[in-house]
Amino acid sequence: AALLFAVFVYFHALDSQYIPKNGDEYPYTHITRMTAESGHVLPLRSGLNQMRNTKPPLLFWQGIACTDWGSDWTLWNLRFPSVVYTLLTAMLAMLLAWKLSGRVETGVVAALAFLGFFSTYRYGRPFLTDPALVFWLFLPFFIILQRRPESFNSRLAVPLAAGLSVGISLLYKSFVLVVPVCIALAWWYLRERNYRVR
Protein backbone atom coordinates (compact mmCIF):
# COMPACT_ATOMS: atom_id res chain seq x y z
CA ALA A 1 0.00 0.00 0.00
CA ALA A 2 2.85 2.39 0.81
CA LEU A 3 4.51 1.68 -2.55
CA LEU A 4 1.25 2.26 -4.42
CA PHE A 5 0.80 5.53 -2.54
CA ALA A 6 4.37 6.56 -3.47
CA VAL A 7 3.67 5.85 -7.15
CA PHE A 8 0.48 7.93 -6.93
CA VAL A 9 2.37 10.81 -5.28
CA TYR A 10 5.06 10.81 -7.97
CA PHE A 11 2.47 10.99 -10.77
CA HIS A 12 0.14 13.41 -8.97
CA ALA A 13 -0.01 16.90 -10.58
CA LEU A 14 2.81 15.95 -12.92
CA ASP A 15 1.52 18.43 -15.50
CA SER A 16 1.48 21.34 -13.03
CA GLN A 17 3.78 24.32 -13.42
CA TYR A 18 4.12 24.50 -9.65
CA ILE A 19 5.69 21.15 -8.72
CA PRO A 20 8.97 21.30 -6.80
CA LYS A 21 11.66 21.55 -9.46
CA ASN A 22 14.94 23.03 -10.57
CA GLY A 23 15.07 26.16 -12.74
CA ASP A 24 16.99 24.22 -15.39
CA GLU A 25 13.74 22.65 -16.56
CA TYR A 26 12.71 25.85 -18.36
CA PRO A 27 15.76 26.18 -20.63
CA TYR A 28 15.73 22.41 -21.26
CA THR A 29 12.11 22.53 -22.44
CA HIS A 30 12.90 25.62 -24.53
CA ILE A 31 15.84 23.89 -26.25
CA THR A 32 13.76 20.75 -26.81
CA ARG A 33 10.88 22.67 -28.34
CA MET A 34 13.05 24.78 -30.65
CA THR A 35 15.06 21.73 -31.75
CA ALA A 36 11.83 19.80 -32.45
CA GLU A 37 10.48 22.74 -34.47
CA SER A 38 13.64 22.75 -36.57
CA GLY A 39 12.89 19.21 -37.75
CA HIS A 40 16.44 18.06 -36.96
CA VAL A 41 17.92 16.45 -33.84
CA LEU A 42 21.24 18.26 -34.24
CA PRO A 43 22.40 20.91 -33.80
CA LEU A 44 20.41 21.76 -30.71
CA ARG A 45 18.50 25.01 -31.16
CA SER A 46 17.86 27.77 -28.66
CA GLY A 47 16.82 31.39 -28.60
CA LEU A 48 18.95 31.84 -25.48
CA ASN A 49 22.47 32.74 -26.59
CA GLN A 50 24.47 30.81 -24.02
CA MET A 51 22.09 27.85 -23.74
CA ARG A 52 22.56 25.94 -26.97
CA ASN A 53 24.92 23.16 -25.97
CA THR A 54 24.43 22.93 -22.25
CA LYS A 55 24.35 19.13 -22.14
CA PRO A 56 24.85 16.10 -24.34
CA PRO A 57 21.70 15.65 -26.45
CA LEU A 58 19.91 12.57 -25.05
CA LEU A 59 17.54 14.48 -22.72
CA PHE A 60 16.46 16.73 -25.58
CA TRP A 61 15.98 13.77 -27.91
CA GLN A 62 13.93 12.07 -25.19
CA GLY A 63 11.73 15.18 -25.00
CA ILE A 64 11.35 15.29 -28.77
CA ALA A 65 10.35 11.61 -28.87
CA CYS A 66 7.89 11.91 -25.95
CA THR A 67 6.10 14.90 -27.49
CA ASP A 68 6.03 13.45 -31.02
CA TRP A 69 8.31 16.17 -32.38
CA GLY A 70 6.48 18.81 -30.35
CA SER A 71 3.04 18.05 -31.81
CA ASP A 72 1.76 16.74 -28.45
CA TRP A 73 3.49 19.28 -26.21
CA THR A 74 2.52 18.89 -22.55
CA LEU A 75 4.46 18.95 -19.31
CA TRP A 76 3.03 15.49 -18.58
CA ASN A 77 4.60 14.06 -21.76
CA LEU A 78 7.94 15.70 -20.99
CA ARG A 79 8.02 14.62 -17.34
CA PHE A 80 6.57 11.12 -17.63
CA PRO A 81 9.92 9.46 -18.53
CA SER A 82 11.55 11.14 -15.51
CA VAL A 83 9.05 9.51 -13.16
CA VAL A 84 9.48 6.15 -14.90
CA TYR A 85 13.27 6.40 -14.48
CA THR A 86 12.85 7.34 -10.80
CA LEU A 87 10.49 4.42 -10.15
CA LEU A 88 12.82 2.02 -11.99
CA THR A 89 15.70 3.16 -9.79
CA ALA A 90 13.53 2.57 -6.70
CA MET A 91 12.77 -0.90 -8.04
CA LEU A 92 16.49 -1.64 -8.45
CA ALA A 93 17.09 -0.46 -4.88
CA MET A 94 14.28 -2.73 -3.71
CA LEU A 95 15.59 -5.79 -5.59
CA LEU A 96 19.13 -5.21 -4.36
CA ALA A 97 18.13 -4.75 -0.72
CA TRP A 98 15.88 -7.81 -0.99
CA LYS A 99 18.75 -9.92 -2.35
CA LEU A 100 21.34 -8.68 0.15
CA SER A 101 19.02 -9.09 3.16
CA GLY A 102 16.94 -12.03 2.01
CA ARG A 103 13.78 -10.20 3.13
CA VAL A 104 11.12 -8.61 0.93
CA GLU A 105 10.28 -6.11 3.67
CA THR A 106 13.82 -4.72 3.61
CA GLY A 107 13.54 -4.26 -0.16
CA VAL A 108 10.28 -2.34 0.21
CA VAL A 109 11.84 -0.13 2.90
CA ALA A 110 14.81 0.57 0.57
CA ALA A 111 12.49 1.62 -2.28
CA LEU A 112 10.41 3.80 0.03
CA ALA A 113 13.53 5.37 1.55
CA PHE A 114 14.78 6.30 -1.92
CA LEU A 115 11.41 7.72 -2.94
CA GLY A 116 10.91 9.41 0.43
CA PHE A 117 13.79 11.86 0.15
CA PHE A 118 12.70 15.35 -0.87
CA SER A 119 15.68 15.61 -3.24
CA THR A 120 14.46 12.48 -5.07
CA TYR A 121 10.97 13.97 -5.28
CA ARG A 122 12.23 17.37 -6.39
CA TYR A 123 14.68 16.15 -9.03
CA GLY A 124 13.00 12.84 -9.93
CA ARG A 125 9.86 14.30 -11.49
CA PRO A 126 10.69 17.35 -13.66
CA PHE A 127 12.19 17.30 -17.15
CA LEU A 128 15.80 17.12 -15.99
CA THR A 129 18.84 14.92 -16.58
CA ASP A 130 18.91 13.63 -12.98
CA PRO A 131 16.37 10.73 -13.11
CA ALA A 132 17.91 9.12 -16.19
CA LEU A 133 21.44 9.77 -14.96
CA VAL A 134 20.82 8.16 -11.57
CA PHE A 135 19.21 5.11 -13.19
CA TRP A 136 21.89 4.51 -15.82
CA LEU A 137 24.77 5.09 -13.36
CA PHE A 138 23.24 2.86 -10.71
CA LEU A 139 22.49 0.04 -13.16
CA PRO A 140 26.09 -1.26 -13.59
CA PHE A 141 26.61 -1.36 -9.83
CA PHE A 142 23.27 -3.13 -9.45
CA ILE A 143 24.22 -5.73 -12.08
CA ILE A 144 27.57 -6.39 -10.43
CA LEU A 145 26.09 -6.67 -6.94
CA GLN A 146 23.15 -8.76 -8.10
CA ARG A 147 25.37 -11.31 -9.87
CA ARG A 148 28.32 -11.22 -7.48
CA PRO A 149 30.75 -13.06 -7.48
CA GLU A 150 30.04 -14.36 -11.02
CA SER A 151 29.89 -10.81 -12.35
CA PHE A 152 33.58 -10.25 -11.59
CA ASN A 153 34.51 -13.31 -13.64
CA SER A 154 32.53 -12.21 -16.67
CA ARG A 155 34.78 -11.21 -19.55
CA LEU A 156 32.13 -9.94 -21.94
CA ALA A 157 28.51 -9.74 -20.76
CA VAL A 158 28.90 -7.73 -17.52
CA PRO A 159 31.62 -5.35 -18.81
CA LEU A 160 29.61 -4.75 -21.99
CA ALA A 161 26.40 -4.09 -20.03
CA ALA A 162 28.25 -1.76 -17.64
CA GLY A 163 29.89 0.07 -20.54
CA LEU A 164 26.59 0.55 -22.38
CA SER A 165 24.86 1.75 -19.23
CA VAL A 166 27.61 4.24 -18.39
CA GLY A 167 27.72 5.37 -22.03
CA ILE A 168 23.99 6.12 -22.04
CA SER A 169 24.33 8.07 -18.77
CA LEU A 170 27.12 10.18 -20.27
CA LEU A 171 24.82 11.11 -23.17
CA TYR A 172 22.41 12.57 -20.61
CA LYS A 173 24.68 14.69 -18.43
CA SER A 174 28.40 15.05 -19.04
CA PHE A 175 31.24 12.99 -20.45
CA VAL A 176 33.36 14.01 -17.45
CA LEU A 177 31.34 11.61 -15.29
CA VAL A 178 33.22 8.72 -16.85
CA VAL A 179 36.16 9.50 -14.54
CA PRO A 180 34.54 8.88 -11.12
CA VAL A 181 32.49 5.94 -12.42
CA CYS A 182 35.56 4.24 -13.92
CA ILE A 183 37.58 4.88 -10.76
CA ALA A 184 34.82 3.32 -8.65
CA LEU A 185 34.45 0.28 -10.91
CA ALA A 186 38.22 -0.18 -11.26
CA TRP A 187 38.74 0.06 -7.50
CA TRP A 188 35.95 -2.46 -6.94
CA TYR A 189 37.47 -4.90 -9.43
CA LEU A 190 40.94 -4.44 -7.94
CA ARG A 191 39.60 -5.04 -4.45
CA GLU A 192 37.91 -8.26 -5.60
CA ARG A 193 41.22 -9.36 -7.14
CA ASN A 194 43.22 -8.51 -4.00
CA TYR A 195 44.77 -5.54 -5.82
CA ARG A 196 46.49 -7.72 -8.43
CA VAL A 197 46.42 -5.42 -11.46
CA ARG A 198 47.09 -8.19 -13.94
Side-chain angles (χ1 to χ4, degrees), residues 5-197:
F5 179 68
V7 170
F8 168 77
V9 166
Y10 270 77
F11 279 109
H12 179 68
L14 195 60
D15 57 347
S16 172
Q17 292 182 343
Y18 306 107
I19 67 169
K21 60 184 173 289
N22 182 305
D24 288 346
E25 185 181 46
Y26 297 118
Y28 293 170
T29 56
H30 170 76
I31 293 168
T32 302
R33 187 170 210 155
M34 288 200 71
T35 304
E37 287 172 357
S38 76
H40 301 284
V41 292
L42 285 175
L44 299 175
R45 308 294 172 110
S46 174
L48 310 169
N49 287 333
Q50 282 124 6
M51 296 296 281
R52 281 199 179 90
N53 292 308
T54 61
K55 299 274 184 253
L58 203 49
L59 176 70
F60 308 110
W61 294 348
Q62 173 188 301
I64 289 169
C66 292
T67 60
D68 193 20
W69 284 88
S71 64
D72 192 10
W73 190 266
T74 64
L75 287 174
W76 173 274
N77 288 344
L78 283 171
R79 293 172 175 165
F80 179 79
S82 296
V83 175
V84 170
Y85 271 126
T86 299
L87 294 176
L88 285 173
T89 304
M91 185 188 74
L92 293 181
M94 182 179 82
L95 293 173
L96 194 56
W98 180 3
K99 173 169 179 159
L100 294 175
S101 69
R103 299 182 63 218
V104 172
E105 296 84 4
T106 305
V108 171
V109 168
L112 289 173
F114 175 74
L115 294 173
F117 280 101
F118 180 69
S119 61
T120 307
Y121 184 73
R122 179 180 174 193
Y123 295 103
R125 298 177 75 214
F127 182 63
L128 297 171
T129 58
D130 299 15
L133 179 71
V134 170
F135 174 79
W136 290 110
L137 286 182
F138 182 49
L139 187 60
F141 294 95
F142 169 81
I143 291 169
I144 291 171
L145 276 170
Q146 190 74 5
R147 306 285 307 160
R148 189 177 175 196
E150 299 88 21
S151 56
F152 287 102
N153 296 324
S154 172
R155 293 188 176 269
L156 182 64
V158 172
L160 183 61
L164 287 172
S165 180
V166 171
I168 292 170
S169 73
L170 299 180
L171 286 172
Y172 268 102
K173 183 80 171 178
S174 170
F175 295 109
V176 176
L177 287 172
V178 75
V179 175
V181 173
C182 286
I183 288 172
L185 288 171
W187 173 76
W188 200 3
Y189 266 87
L190 280 171
R191 188 170 179 271
E192 281 292 314
R193 302 289 188 215
N194 296 317
Y195 298 97
R196 293 191 308 267
V197 175

